Amino acid sequence: MPPALSDTIVALSTPPGAGAIAVLRLSGPQAIQLTDELFAGKRLHEQPGHTLHYGTLRDEGRILDEVVVSLFRGPHSYTREDVVEISCHGSDYIVQQVLAALVRRGARLAEAGEFTKRAFLHGAFDLAQAEAVADLIAADSALSHQVAMQQMRGGFSRELKDLRARLVQFASLLELELDFGEEDVEFADRTGLTSLLQELQTVIRQLLRSFELGNVIKNGVTTVIAGKPNAGKSTLLNALLNEERAIVSAVPGTTRDFIEDEVSIEGIRFRFVDTAGLRETTDVVESIGVERTRQRVRQAALLLYLFDLTATTPAEVATELAELNPEGRIPTLAVGNKLDQIDTAEAAAFAQPDTLLISAATGQGLPELQQALLQQVRGSGLDRTGSATIVTNVRHARSLEAALEALDAVLLGLSVHHGTELLAADLRRALASLGEITGEISTDDLLTSIFTQFCIGK
Ligand code: GDP
């Protein structure tokens, strides 16, 4: 049974500020009646769901606005309750007046994410799907949109529920053995259980691997672009930005010398962190800058080392790379720039794996550079994922890790012939962790922390 949600909530569902239209949304048992009290036009409570009505909103004899009301009768609505959406003119003043009139009549201002929370509580979708709604609103690239859409439509949830259902079957057989206590019976076939557990672990590991890529899709790839002054870093960034006609964002980094630019390549966002430039220096302030550059490199997912082909020898490139990335842990692309200034014989001297030659000024070699950047990401995720489902949510990844760990314990218990009681306890833990993802098992704290990350009105 869904919990009793007796009050009617209201919020502005479009962004605040002036606009052509603003949409206010009400949900709850009094949604239609409260709107009726303000609405001059047809009697809304006599109208069927999924209908639109034009009229005026009046409060204390004053016309507030001409509006269109969309009527949804529960359970055929987003929240499964009666829902009214009022489309009024997009003025903050009008919105405030209408909200105030509705609140005076008994509506309550909705908290962040409360509409989606109600939809979840009424079983319209599970928790993972609800979270995908927030991701969908925040999606800013083709790929992040695609992944969020897939999750919202239940792809990930289906995969999990299937896993969980098969475990539940075994768990109930084990619980049955417990009921028989001393009689020492085995209903649950241990060999079958072992192979099921191993199969589940394979799927969970795949999902966890997909999280690496999911994280990249959601948060972008931090790429440090390092190189000496005049190597052409700014020219290259501009060329990449123009190439993709991406939205240019120049947010200052934590210090003034780091500028972040975002370039989207085939739906994957690369966050370029520019550095002050590398140079040997005796100046204390500058050497701090160099140290910071190295620190940045250590935290990056990718290092793009740009050098000037007309002013660098292949040996210098090797030395600089070794200094920037001493342990070679960070995937690195060495990129020689100003190819337009040297001849083919000179260029041949730089031929190395993971070295590309480009001209940021003429655009030569840029498509190859973009493909090389993508390859770095895909090589580390997409190809190995082997799963159509991509995990993007940290909470889901943590729960999957916990489930994996609990399944390990069950497997270990089986191999050393633990008693049924211990096995059943570990299995319950695994089930709980999987159940947390979709919300089959949830706590108030968890729900609060999830839904407060939503915007008001969603
Ligand atoms: P940064 O200090 O690394 O950001 O370097 P800039 O992007 O400011 O470039 C330094 C200079 O090199 C500028 O005068 C650019 O016009 C020039 N430059 C950059 N890329 C190329 C290139 O591919 N070919 C040529 N000939 N000049 C370039």
Side-chain angles (χ1 to χ4, degrees):
M1 270 301 284
L5 299 164
S6 55
D7 50 357
T8 296
I9 52 174
V10 63
L12 173 65
S13 283
T14 43
I21 304 175
V23 177
L24 294 163
R25 175 149 64 173
L26 292 103
S27 179
Q30 290 189 293
I32 297 173
Q33 186 211 314
L34 290 178
T35 312
D36 238 350
E37 289 178 24
L38 299 180
F39 189 74
K42 288 181 210 150
R43 294 295 80 211
L44 296 175
H45 63 264
E46 293 165 1
Q47 308 303 320
H50 288 93
T51 53
L52 290 180
H53 308 280
Y54 171 79
T56 55
L57 287 189
R58 292 160 197 260
D59 186 31
E60 291 163 0
R62 208 161 54 101
I63 295 185
L64 296 178
D65 198 8
E66 295 183 353
V67 301
V68 172
V69 167
S70 323
L71 206 68
F72 304 89
R73 289 193 180 271
H76 306 291
S77 72
Y78 181 65
T79 59
R80 299 291 188 266
E81 304 174 326
D82 284 351
V83 168
V84 173
E85 288 180 5
I86 304 174
S87 304
C88 56
H89 290 98
S91 122
D92 278 336
Y93 176 76
I94 292 175
V95 167
Q96 291 314 319
Q97 294 297 306
V98 178
L99 278 177
L102 288 166
V103 167
R104 268 201 307 279
R105 284 166 176 77
R108 173 170 66 71
L109 289 176
E111 290 160 18
E114 202 172 356
F115 290 92
T116 305
K117 185 177 179 180
R118 286 193 170 194
F120 163 71
L121 291 173
H122 286 122
F125 38 60
D126 67 41
L127 207 47
Q129 288 174 290
E131 286 170 297
V133 173
D135 287 346
L136 193 63
I137 294 172
D140 58 0
S141 74
L143 256 184
S144 54
H145 166 262
Q146 183 191 325
V147 173
M149 190 59 108
Q150 202 237 4
Q151 187 180 325
M152 191 182 75
R153 295 177 64 84
F156 179 41
S157 304
R158 263 195 301 281
E159 203 159 332
L160 280 175
K161 279 184 187 142
D162 181 45
L163 288 183
R164 206 166 168 266
R166 294 164 68 189
L167 261 190
V168 165
Q169 224 178 340
F170 267 103
S172 49
L173 288 177
L174 285 179
E175 302 287 346
L176 202 59
E177 287 178 14
L178 288 178
D179 286 347
F180 278 76
E182 289 96 70
E183 289 174 45
D184 219 16
V185 286
E186 274 195 10
F187 295 112
D189 163 28
R190 300 308 195 246
T191 325
L193 180 56
T194 305
S195 63
L196 173 68
L197 293 173
Q198 284 163 344
E199 200 187 320
L200 291 186
Q201 286 200 320
T202 307
V203 178
I204 293 178
R205 285 205 186 94
Q206 260 176 14
L207 287 171
L208 277 171
R209 265 201 300 279
S210 82
F211 178 61
E212 252 176 70
L213 180 69
N215 201 30
V216 156
I217 292 172
K218 208 163 140 178
N219 302 318
V221 188
T222 308
T223 307
V224 162
I225 175 164
K228 293 198 168 128
N230 276 327
K233 296 182 295 297
S234 325
T235 312
L236 174 60
L237 277 178
N238 281 330
L240 286 172
L241 287 169
N242 288 337
E243 192 83 358
E244 288 300 317
R245 276 180 235 95
I247 303 157
V248 183
S249 70
V251 285
T254 45
T255 61
R256 236 181 313 150
D257 44 3
F258 296 113
I259 302 295
E260 292 199 10
D261 269 306
E262 283 191 0
V263 178
S264 161
I265 303 174
E266 291 183 16
I268 301 218
R269 269 186 304 143
F270 290 83
R271 261 203 335 271
F272 283 101
V273 182
D274 195 359
T275 67
L278 294 169
R279 71 207 108 183
E280 285 310 319
T281 176
T282 46
D283 183 315
V284 179
V285 177
E286 270 203 8
S287 70
I288 291 172
V290 173
E291 180 45 40
R292 281 210 204 104
T293 301
R294 296 209 176 105
Q295 225 170 10
R296 276 275 161 147
V297 171
R298 281 195 290 272
Q299 290 161 0
L302 205 61
L303 168 64
L304 193 162
Y305 173 64
L306 191 70
F307 60 94
D308 183 343
L309 285 165
T310 67
T312 324
T313 65
E316 280 167 355
V317 175
T319 315
E320 294 270 6
L321 280 178
E323 261 191 46
L324 276 171
N325 189 12
E327 294 116 54
R329 273 192 307 115
I330 313 295
T332 303
L333 283 178
V335 180
N337 187 31
K338 310 194 187 177
L339 185 56
D340 55 308
Q341 297 287 314
I342 61 168
D343 60 37
T344 328
E346 287 170 306
F350 289 94
Q352 284 283 335
D354 284 331
T355 301
L356 284 114
L357 306 188
I358 63 158
S359 169
T362 68
Q364 193 184 348
L366 283 187
E368 288 80 3
L369 174 56
Q370 288 169 329
Q371 286 311 312
L373 286 167
L374 283 177
Q375 201 46 50
Q376 295 286 342
V377 177
R378 295 201 167 137
S380 73
L382 203 59
D383 293 341
R384 286 193 290 113
T385 301
S387 161
T389 304
I390 297 174
V391 178
T392 54
N393 187 304
V394 188
R395 187 183 76 81
H396 301 169
R398 295 293 159 268
S399 295
L400 287 171
E401 277 165 6
L404 194 62
E405 188 264 323
L407 291 180
D408 267 336
V410 184
L411 274 172
L412 181 72
L414 282 170
S415 70
V416 299
H417 305 289
H418 266 168
T420 308
E421 206 149 320
L422 285 174
L423 291 179
D426 287 328
L427 208 49
R428 263 182 247 130
R429 252 189 328 124
L431 284 172
S433 297
L434 291 177
E436 271 167 15
I437 300 177
T438 49
E440 279 151 289
I441 292 172
S442 64
T443 63
D444 278 352
D445 286 350
L446 176 66
L447 295 187
T448 306
S449 87
I450 289 172
F451 287 105
T452 47
Q453 290 167 26
F454 276 66
C455 41
I456 303 267
K458 188 65 220 179

